[in-house]
Amino acid sequence: MEITPAFLAELPKIELHVHLESTMPGEMLERFAARQGRRLPRPAAELYHCSAEDLSDFLKFLDSICAYVGTEEELAEAAEHLSLSSRREKILYMEAILNPTHWPQFTVPELIRAVTAGFDRGQAAGGADCRFILSLSRTQTAAEAVALVEAMKAHRTPRLAGLSIDGNEALTGLTGQRFRPAFQAAGDAGFGRTVHAGESSGPEGVRDALDLLEADRLDHGVRGAEDPALLRRLAEEKVPLNVCLTSNLTLLYRRPEDHPLRRLLDAGAAVTLNRDDPTFLGGLTLTEELGRAASFAAMSREELLACQRTAVRAAFCGEETKAALLAALAEFEGCR
Ligand code: ADE
Ligand code: ZN
């Protein structure tokens, strides 16, 4: 059946790959900047009108954006905003990535406390159930990675769901060996493990994440499709791939026809659909992202629903939450 705007709007949604750093509206940052006696480099409405064609430049810009958030309360407000704005487009559950290297003004315990408070407030006011994942940068040391996991264990809250790596995979080469002890410690402590791989790295980055880091799922993972044997493995092992089509078409693929979304679906890969960096992508909503993916890859309603169910299975939450999310999807399907 045809995918209509009403179907997209009403579909209960689950998102597993969005960076909290890329969800803060310009107007909010303008307010925070004023409290520090600072001004944004451009009017708030134009803050994100910058070229995001190069990942390294983009990551530097993220640092400058995060510097406007000066207090724990402001960070909590940013987290609360994400929860509330998500629910408006029927995102029931979300996992946001937060990389402490973008936030040198906060300690890890402060970050955990502030984001937990913001997500708690958001959900209590009717927002989405949001959890968060703390992320390593590719350039960090093994000792820094282990220290992050120790801090996560010591300051754990129910909203802190896992460990990840993001940043530019091309800057450092393979990092599996370096981060293996931290990922093992995170797994032993019951945290979920996800890795940006197969975006700025090719199939070798995907293998590194699976074999050395024992990642439960991959952020992007799309370049795994360049290697037929790896694509078969991803499909057979049902490794969840948190795909971000709009982001990939902006930062990764020059030619849209090179994006492997349709091939991944046809191969039976476990695909979820996500925004990655919404403020930098024209204020992208997940509803828009799903509509774009559906028309780009000629997806059916069943396939879009299957991506939501895949996201539930891949989520770093307990079985009770998963059962409630699957029930909401089943109810939606039953009403069609
Ligand atoms: N951090 C924020 N967005 C990212 C992306 N697309 N790739 C790697 N790291 C990121
Ligand atoms: Zn990402």
Side-chain angles (χ1 to χ4, degrees):
M1 224 200 301
E2 195 200 346
I3 291 177
T4 58
F7 175 87
L8 287 170
E10 293 304 316
L11 175 68
K13 302 167 189 73
I14 290 92
E15 184 168 39
L16 302 181
H17 180 177
V18 61
H19 297 263
L20 189 130
E21 292 89 358
S22 307
T23 64
M24 299 180 287
E27 294 71 22
M28 176 187 285
L29 293 175
E30 185 172 53
R31 249 187 313 114
F32 295 167
R35 288 190 200 143
Q36 297 178 28
R38 297 173 62 196
R39 295 184 58 180
L40 302 182
R42 289 181 283 285
E46 293 165 26
L47 182 63
Y48 296 107
H49 294 184
C50 58
S51 150
E53 280 163 23
D54 174 88
L55 187 57
S56 287
D57 280 353
F58 165 68
L59 294 171
K60 272 191 225 129
F61 186 58
L62 275 190
D63 286 335
S64 71
I65 289 298
C66 294
Y68 295 115
V69 181
T71 66
E72 274 186 57
E73 173 49 33
E74 288 171 351
L75 180 54
E77 193 185 320
E80 181 182 12
H81 169 268
L82 180 58
S83 169
L84 292 172
S85 60
S86 301
R87 190 60 197 232
R88 268 177 239 129
E89 54 163 337
K90 298 225 161 45
I91 299 176
L92 302 186
Y93 177 91
M94 159 184 283
E95 288 173 14
I97 299 166
L98 199 86
N99 184 324
T101 68
H102 291 307
W103 306 93
Q105 65 274 45
F106 298 118
T107 64
V108 170
E110 285 169 348
L111 283 176
I112 293 174
R113 193 163 56 215
V115 176
T116 298
F119 284 164
D120 282 350
R121 272 178 0 214
Q123 191 175 0
D129 178 352
C130 295
R131 317 287 170 101
F132 64 106
I133 293 168
L134 288 183
S135 198
L136 294 160
S137 285
R138 297 262 158 202
T139 45
Q140 288 186 274
T141 65
E144 286 171 328
V146 169
L148 176 63
V149 176
E150 288 305 314
M152 288 168 62
K153 283 160 61 179
H155 300 275
R156 189 170 199 155
T157 71
R159 302 248 172 222
L160 179 55
L163 176 70
S164 91
I165 310 175
D166 66 339
N168 193 340
E169 303 153 55
L171 270 187
T172 52
L174 299 179
T175 48
Q177 285 295 359
R178 188 173 354 130
F179 293 137
R180 187 171 162 78
F183 268 67
Q184 239 157 21
D188 290 347
F191 288 114
R193 295 174 295 185
T194 182
V195 177
H196 275 61
E199 182 196 32
S200 43
S201 65
E204 71 292 349
V206 172
R207 286 205 174 86
D208 199 52
L210 295 178
D211 295 336
L212 290 178
L213 299 174
E214 299 176 55
D216 300 303
R217 61 189 204 212
L218 299 174
D219 291 313
H220 300 296
V222 284
R223 290 191 55 203
E226 290 170 15
D227 177 331
L230 181 56
L231 178 55
R232 274 197 303 277
R233 175 181 174 189
L234 291 170
E236 272 166 26
E237 295 180 12
K238 291 276 173 262
V239 178
L241 305 176
N242 293 334
V243 173
C244 308
L245 178 70
T246 304
S247 166
N248 290 164
L249 295 182
T250 307
L251 291 164
L252 183 57
Y253 294 102
R254 292 284 161 257
R255 301 181 332 147
E257 59 273 29
D258 290 338
H259 196 286
L261 177 56
R262 186 68 255 169
R263 278 200 300 128
L264 289 167
L265 294 167
D266 288 343
V271 169
T272 78
L273 298 170
N274 309 272
R275 286 172 295 170
D276 206 6
D277 294 300
T279 45
F280 293 92
L281 298 168
L284 182 68
T285 65
L286 187 58
T287 310
E288 287 165 347
E289 179 68 15
L290 298 186
R292 188 167 301 174
S295 59
F296 179 85
M299 290 173 74
S300 64
R301 288 185 176 205
E302 289 66 32
E303 283 177 315
L304 274 185
L305 269 158
C307 288
Q308 305 315 305
R309 280 193 290 267
T310 297
V312 174
R313 277 193 293 274
F316 296 152
C317 62
E319 289 307 318
E320 224 174 282
T321 303
K322 290 187 186 210
L325 293 169
L326 289 173
L329 285 165
E331 189 189 337
F332 171 79
E333 219 175 346
C335 295
R336 298 275 106 199

